[in-house]
Amino acid sequence: MTTSNTGTGDVDPAVREELARLRDSIDNIDAAVVHMLAERFKCTQQVGRLKARHQLPPADPAREGRQITRLRTLAENAKLDPAFAEKLLNFIIAEVIRHHERIADDTTRNTTGHSTPTTD
């Protein structure tokens, strides 16, 4: 499967077909990733509410460290760059902590008599 070299820039139809097939798979994987992240955030929202009810801190550095180590190992085993996996997890953790801080603030306001609606 190579591109034709007619000078017109036309692409061999077989190459187009292969690109389309691969891109369809990529699109399916992207959709699965988005749905998995949505499910993950549903769980972390529940964790945030539980922490807020019991006045636990939004962040848990010990757990985060264990998760980073675990994810780096998973990445290595999957032949994925562990540094990339760590960056991705750090991004997700930062977002989770932001959510937990908001939930804690909302819970504190609601228990001190200031009525603030939540978006959960």
Side-chain angles (χ1 to χ4, degrees), residues 27-37:
D27 292 350
N28 288 339
I29 292 165
D30 288 346
V33 167
V34 167
H35 287 282
M36 291 300 294
L37 283 172

Side-chain angles (χ1 to χ4, degrees), residues 5 8-10 13-15 18 24 30 44-45 47 59 61 70 74 78-79 91 94-95 104 109 117 120:
N5 198 7
T8 63
D10 291 335
V15 171
E18 183 71 2
D24 284 346
D30 288 346
T44 61
Q45 292 288 328
V47 168
R70 181 177 156 273
L74 288 170
K79 307 294 188 247
F91 180 78
E95 186 68 7
R109 274 190 292 243
D120 295 327

Side-chain angles (χ1 to χ4, degrees), residues 24-105:
D24 284 346
S25 290
I26 290 167
D27 292 350
N28 288 339
I29 292 165
D30 288 346
V33 167
V34 167
H35 287 282
M36 291 300 294
L37 283 172
E39 197 62 30
R40 187 185 197 288
F41 278 106
K42 284 179 190 174
C43 291
T44 61
Q45 292 288 328
Q46 292 175 16
V47 168
R49 287 190 287 276
L50 184 62
K51 284 180 170 184
R53 277 195 306 273
H54 296 279
Q55 299 172 346
L56 297 170
D60 184 343
R63 164 122 170 112
E64 293 158 22
R66 289 190 306 272
Q67 286 296 93
I68 288 168
T69 299
R70 181 177 156 273
L71 195 71
R72 286 185 67 91
T73 300
L74 288 170
E76 287 172 6
N77 292 339
K79 307 294 188 247
L80 180 68
D81 179 5
F84 169 77
E86 184 174 345
K87 286 178 193 174
L88 178 61
L89 185 60
N90 282 329
F91 180 78
I92 292 169
I93 288 170
E95 186 68 7
V96 168
I97 291 170
R98 189 179 69 76
H99 291 175
H100 289 187
E101 289 169 343
R102 190 198 78 235
I103 291 167
D105 288 346

